[in-house]
Each structure stands twice: as structure tokens, then as C-alpha cells.
Amino acid sequence: MILGVQFYTVRDHCKTLEDFAESLKKVADIGYTTVQISGTCAYEPAWLAEQLKANGLSCVITHVPFDRIKEDTAAVIADHTVFGCDYIGLGSMPTSFNDPQTLPTVLDLAHTAGAAMAKAGKKFMYHNHHGEFMRTCTAADGTPLTVLEYMMQETTPEELGFTLDTYWVQAGGADVVQTIGRFAGRIPCVHLKDMSVAPTQDGKWYEQHMASVGSGNLNWESILSAFELAGAQYALVEQDNCYGEDPFLCLKRSYDYLTAMGLQ
């Protein structure tokens, strides 16, 4: 797998094009060679292509708003071609899981926009959180399924891939390694995010925290081996919340840990 950064980690440092360009340089200086663009300020595709080239980076996947994917599929595909990106991601469900139309709407998008992307040599990708591990769906034989399992069942590999996120799998109560195996062949891009336990702000209890990879409690030796066996190509480090730490230092900590384990 090729190691990269999910730019949502440094979104607060990408609110202007100047800061965005500096953040790309900082990530490259750490040693990362690939990125996922998500949560940044608006940019022109040609500008991003230029900045990526200047820093020796490749953008392998993005997150694009649901409405833009649905209403302007051809332009989204064209934009990604400009900066050489083959995977077009949706970061989450467009509305609440409590809305009965939410899941059918995303599946319809896979059947339409996802199919169009496949014809253009791209792939539509869906990023999970923990809600997708609710067992609210049913297989044809009556077996209960998680939302994510149902999404896989109701789409083809050409129409939809999954950006499996290790933290959210664990937060959803699922076994990370087992889930990776279940989605083998459908997870070319994945998110590496650790989970630790820390006191709450009032000090009266404990809560889950997102952590730099190797700083928490996930079994990374088993997880990375499972991803390799499942055909994952790009492993993007993400830490949505750095709890006051410099996110670039958190990314460096993850980089040092993962490269010591053999990723590059």
C-alpha cells in the first residue's frame, strides 16, 4: 500500500489557497507522497494539478458534495482528470439515517453517477462512519445486515467502492480485521485512524479519542496485513480531531510509525 494523508486532518490550515499550498508542502516535507483532498477551500483543478506537481504529490481520492456528484457528474469527472485522480469520494450520507430515503438515494447515485464514473475510468467511493454498522437492513434470505453490508450487496464493484475507516469500524462495534476481509476487492482506498481512551474534560469518566496511528489501541500489524490481502492500494492517514495538538505533528507521528512498519 502507498501511504498518504486525508487533508480533512489539516482543514483548518487550508482555508485560503495560500495556506492550502503551504499545507501541501508541509505534508510532502514529512515524506508523504499521496493525498486525499477534502475539507479545503475552493480551488481550480488546474491550480491543484500545479501544486501537486510542485510538491511531488499525487491526489488519489477526493470527497465531493453529494449534490455536485448528482447534478454535475460529467464536470466532476472532468475536474478529476485534470489533476490525475481516479477515485471520487462521498464523505457520508447526505442526510440522517432516520430519513428512510437516505440510503436509497445513495444507492441510486451509485447506479447512475457511479456507473458513469466507471465508464470514464474512475471509481465512485463511499466513506463510512459508525452509523453504517446499524443492523437495520435485511438480505434476501432474511439475514440481518449492517447498512454497509447492504450497500455492498446492492451495488456492483464497478459502481461503488468503500473507503473503509478503521476508527469508525471499531466505533461501530465491528471487528476491524474481519470487516476488512468482508469487503475485500472493494476497498482500494482506506483510512488509517487509531482509537485511544482518555478522560472526559470534567475528568469524571472516559471517552474514545481519535489518535495518531500507533498511539492508540488498534492492532495495526493485523490491520495492515488484512488490508494488503484485501487489495487496498492507498492508505490515507486521517485524524479528524487532534485535541489541540498541531495536526502536522500528529501526521508526522503516524508517518514515523507506519514507515517503520514498512509502508511508504
Side-chain angles (χ1 to χ4, degrees):
M1 289 186 295
I2 299 173
L3 188 57
V5 169
Q6 190 347 5
F7 253 61
Y8 189 76
T9 307
V10 295
R11 61 195 179 280
D12 290 338
H13 298 264
C14 298
K15 293 183 177 181
T16 67
L17 288 177
E18 182 179 3
D19 289 345
F20 187 5
E22 180 62 22
S23 294
L24 287 166
K25 182 179 184 304
K26 286 182 177 180
V27 162
D29 287 345
I30 292 171
Y32 289 103
T33 58
T34 63
V35 296
Q36 174 176 4
I37 299 303
S38 171
T40 69
C41 63
Y43 57 86
E44 291 295 328
W47 178 91
L48 180 58
E50 180 181 341
Q51 293 299 320
L52 292 169
K53 182 177 181 181
N55 288 287
L57 295 170
S58 298
C59 176
V60 295
I61 182 172
T62 60
H63 276 166
V64 178
F66 177 91
D67 287 344
R68 182 151 194 261
I69 293 173
K70 180 181 179 181
E71 297 168 7
D72 211 2
T73 307
V76 169
I77 292 170
D79 287 352
H80 283 68
T81 298
V82 171
F83 52 87
C85 181
D86 289 337
Y87 296 99
I88 302 170
L90 178 65
S92 64
M93 290 286 172
T95 54
S96 170
F97 277 109
N98 294 328
D99 180 348
Q101 289 304 309
T102 295
L103 181 55
T105 297
V106 173
L107 294 176
D108 285 345
L109 192 68
H111 298 322
T112 55
M117 291 174 190
K119 288 182 180 179
K122 310 293 185 187
K123 183 179 282 292
F124 184 35
M125 300 287 292
Y126 179 81
H127 169 259
N128 69 281
H129 292 86
H130 54 338
E132 289 87 346
F133 289 90
M134 294 187 295
R135 290 191 174 275
T136 54
C137 298
T138 307
D141 63 1
T143 303
L145 295 175
T146 66
V147 173
L148 207 63
E149 289 169 340
Y150 185 77
M151 292 176 71
M152 179 169 65
Q153 175 185 281
E154 294 297 311
T155 58
T156 68
E158 293 74 28
E159 291 173 333
L160 187 65
F162 298 90
T163 309
L164 206 63
D165 185 302
T166 56
Y167 177 94
W168 291 118
V169 175
Q170 184 75 24
D175 182 281
V176 179
V177 171
Q178 188 178 67
T179 301
I180 292 168
R182 189 171 292 129
F183 283 80
R186 301 284 294 264
I187 50 172
C189 304
V190 298
H191 284 176
L192 307 186
K193 185 187 305 175
D194 214 337
M195 179 185 286
S196 63
V197 178
T200 54
Q201 286 190 334
D202 60 13
K204 294 181 178 180
W205 196 240
Y206 304 92
E207 62 186 2
Q208 296 169 346
H209 271 202
M210 297 174 180
S212 300
V213 179
S215 300
N217 295 313
L218 297 189
N219 184 341
W220 288 103
E221 184 175 353
S222 296
I223 288 170
L224 296 176
S225 295
F227 273 139
E228 291 281 2
L229 287 172
Q233 301 171 39
Y234 300 104
L236 293 311
V237 173
E238 182 180 32
Q239 191 172 341
D240 310 33
N241 193 336
C242 295
Y243 307 97
E245 283 195 270
D246 182 341
F248 294 100
L249 291 179
C250 293
L251 290 173
K252 176 67 163 59
R253 191 180 301 133
S254 293
Y255 178 84
D256 290 343
Y257 178 82
L258 290 164
T259 53
M261 294 193 72
L263 269 70
Q264 297 294 331

